[in-house]
Amino acid sequence: MDSKSKRMHLFSIVSLSAVMFGAYSGPGFASGAQTVSYFLNKGPIGVFTGPLITGLLCFIFCMLLFEINRIYQPNNYREAYNQIYQGKHLQWFFGNIKELQVIVVVIISLALQISTVAELIYSIYGVNKTLTRVLFITAVVALSLWGAGFIRKASSILSVLIVLISLYIGYKCLGPALPGMHAFISSNATPKDFGYNSQAFAIFSMFTIVVFFMNGYDACVPASKGIVKTKKDVLIVSLLTSILCTFMTIIFTVIFASGMPGVLKQSVPTLWAVTTLGKFNVLGQTLYVVLSIAAMLSTSMHFIFVVSERFQLPLKGLIKNSTALTRKLIIAVFFVIICALFSLFGVLNIVNYGYTIFTMIVGPIMLYPLIISVPYRIMKKNKSLKKVIINTSNN
């Protein structure tokens, strides 16, 4: 491989991390509601320790799942999980749970993006919320239909934009936030102060946000085919993803900690931060709006891309003589209409109820078993290969 090919390959690997980060950044940073709900209502442990441990979990799960992508080169997330769980009954159980997970996460996450962007644009510019919803979901559908290559490239551009503007928000807000953050840490508040009966349960629920750190994986399965070829590739995409998600999360947990506990009642905590702490002028607020739209478009187009890719083939049997693009469009429109309706429940209700219940179920069932099941599957495959080599040598 010449130097130009190596650079192009490295860019492709980095773009997968951009897909992973982009899928997480929308609800995490654009609105901030997800970050506040998962980390800061657990007390001071949520400012630094929570994101760091979650980042470590993200690294572990990325290493496991992208290793499956490297070895088996699956076409979609269902094929990836079928390779991990190869027994008929296990495939039926985990495969169907995975399908349900994808559908539910698309609905609640995209509903949150739609609700947030409508609330944000209305709060700053007074634009009608219904009009904003229509324009946003139209953009999401259009972007999601361009395919895996476009998703990788668009994610790279949007992720760079998100990181730069998030760093700018950090630059403006971190200084004013430090006294309040120190006061929050010194308060020795516990999860019980925020309505939790059990501290252990609260801490466990905090780490379930790793489900959303891993949001982009389903889109990365087809996008990584033919790209992730070596263990070094797996390491790079896993390490970069966990560093991006963790570092950027800590910037915002520090900022939001300064507003505790009042920030818990904010529908869009990041808007509170840029206006209260950052004292953003018109230009600064415009940059924040750009961040929000970029982040939420990045997240939302991944979700619609995943479901349209996954379900367009089953739809082929129902709609004769249809093109793949037509079927993807039908699926995309169907999902965004459902998500738009769910978005009417509001940001705080979606995060506090939809997100929390969802991750408490999905984390223990779909992610944590991978720590055992993926190494076991790889070990079984290596044993099979050794037997083939030995038999071939004997013959």
Side-chain angles (χ1 to χ4, degrees), residues 220-363:
C220 279
V221 176
S224 65
K225 189 174 183 180
I227 302 297
V228 178
K229 300 176 181 179
T230 67
K231 291 186 176 181
K232 181 180 178 181
D233 295 339
V234 173
L235 178 62
I236 291 173
V237 69
S238 302
L239 190 59
L240 187 56
T241 297
S242 59
I243 289 173
L244 276 174
C245 291
T246 303
F247 178 71
M248 299 309 295
T249 297
I250 289 175
I251 288 178
F252 283 90
T253 54
V254 170
I255 291 172
F256 297 147
S258 69
M260 287 293 289
V263 75
L264 291 171
K265 298 179 181 179
Q266 296 289 332
S267 295
V268 188
T270 308
L271 178 60
W272 165 84
V274 300
T275 54
T276 304
L277 297 174
K279 308 292 184 183
F280 277 27
N281 56 22
V282 175
L283 175 61
Q285 290 185 17
T286 301
L287 284 173
Y288 166 57
V289 171
V290 171
L291 158 70
S292 301
I293 294 176
M296 288 184 282
L297 276 177
S298 180
T299 302
S300 301
M301 71 180 183
H302 292 119
F303 292 135
I304 297 301
F305 167 75
V306 167
V307 292
S308 61
E309 284 286 329
R310 173 66 186 95
F311 297 114
Q312 65 93 4
L313 281 177
L315 194 62
K316 185 177 182 180
L318 298 175
I319 306 176
K320 304 296 183 182
N321 301 321
S322 59
T323 63
L325 181 61
T326 301
R327 295 191 297 273
K328 290 178 185 178
L329 178 61
I330 292 171
I331 294 166
V333 171
F334 173 77
F335 271 95
V336 296
I337 290 174
I338 294 176
C339 295
L341 293 174
F342 269 88
S343 73
L344 299 176
F345 284 102
V347 174
L348 290 179
N349 286 328
I350 294 171
V351 171
N352 291 336
Y353 299 105
Y355 268 46
T356 303
I357 294 171
F358 171 75
T359 55
M360 287 294 292
I361 296 172
V362 169

Side-chain angles (χ1 to χ4, degrees), residues 13-287:
I13 294 298
V14 171
S15 70
L16 291 174
S17 294
V19 171
M20 295 290 289
F21 174 71
Y24 166 66
S25 63
F29 311 138
S31 74
Q34 176 180 288
T35 302
V36 170
S37 177
Y38 275 91
F39 290 113
L40 296 177
N41 64 354
K42 310 304 185 298
I45 193 174
V47 180
F48 295 106
T49 306
L52 286 171
I53 295 178
T54 306
L56 177 61
L57 290 173
C58 173
F59 173 73
I60 292 170
F61 293 132
C62 280
M63 286 289 291
L64 293 171
L65 287 171
F66 278 99
E67 182 67 1
I68 290 295
N69 289 6
R70 181 187 74 83
I71 294 172
Y72 295 101
Q73 298 289 310
N75 293 301
N76 54 60
Y77 60 82
R78 182 70 183 251
E79 289 186 10
Y81 270 79
N82 282 348
Q83 294 295 348
I84 298 171
Y85 302 104
Q86 295 189 3
K88 181 179 179 181
H89 297 296
L90 287 174
Q91 285 186 342
W92 182 90
F93 176 78
F94 283 101
N96 287 318
I97 292 293
K98 182 62 180 177
E99 298 281 21
L100 182 61
Q101 172 196 339
V102 170
I103 292 171
V104 173
V105 77
V106 167
I107 292 173
I108 63 174
S109 294
L110 186 49
L112 177 63
Q113 314 308 308
I114 296 170
S115 183
T116 300
V117 76
E119 184 70 34
L120 178 63
I121 300 300
Y122 175 78
S123 299
I124 296 180
Y125 302 112
V127 178
N128 181 271
K129 292 182 181 180
T130 301
L131 175 61
T132 303
R133 282 183 166 92
V134 171
L135 292 175
F136 181 74
I137 63 177
T138 300
V140 169
V141 171
L143 290 171
S144 67
L145 298 177
W146 282 73
F150 173 80
I151 293 291
R152 286 202 314 271
K153 293 174 184 177
S155 293
S156 300
I157 296 171
L158 291 174
S159 293
V160 170
L161 183 63
I162 292 163
V163 169
L164 290 176
I165 300 178
S166 295
L167 290 174
Y168 177 71
I169 292 174
Y171 168 75
K172 295 287 287 185
C173 296
L174 279 174
L178 289 178
M181 183 271 292
H182 286 302
F184 177 60
I185 291 177
S186 301
S187 69
N188 295 319
T190 68
K192 292 183 178 180
D193 296 322
F194 303 107
Y196 288 93
N197 295 322
S198 166
Q199 182 162 333
F201 175 81
I203 301 304
F204 174 76
S205 69
M206 175 170 65
F207 295 138
T208 62
I209 196 178
V210 72
V211 172
F212 289 104
F213 273 51
M214 299 295 297
N215 254 348
Y217 173 73
D218 298 327
C220 279
V221 176
S224 65
K225 189 174 183 180
I227 302 297
V228 178
K229 300 176 181 179
T230 67
K231 291 186 176 181
K232 181 180 178 181
D233 295 339
V234 173
L235 178 62
I236 291 173
V237 69
S238 302
L239 190 59
L240 187 56
T241 297
S242 59
I243 289 173
L244 276 174
C245 291
T246 303
F247 178 71
M248 299 309 295
T249 297
I250 289 175
I251 288 178
F252 283 90
T253 54
V254 170
I255 291 172
F256 297 147
S258 69
M260 287 293 289
V263 75
L264 291 171
K265 298 179 181 179
Q266 296 289 332
S267 295
V268 188
T270 308
L271 178 60
W272 165 84
V274 300
T275 54
T276 304
L277 297 174
K279 308 292 184 183
F280 277 27
N281 56 22
V282 175
L283 175 61
Q285 290 185 17
T286 301
L287 284 173

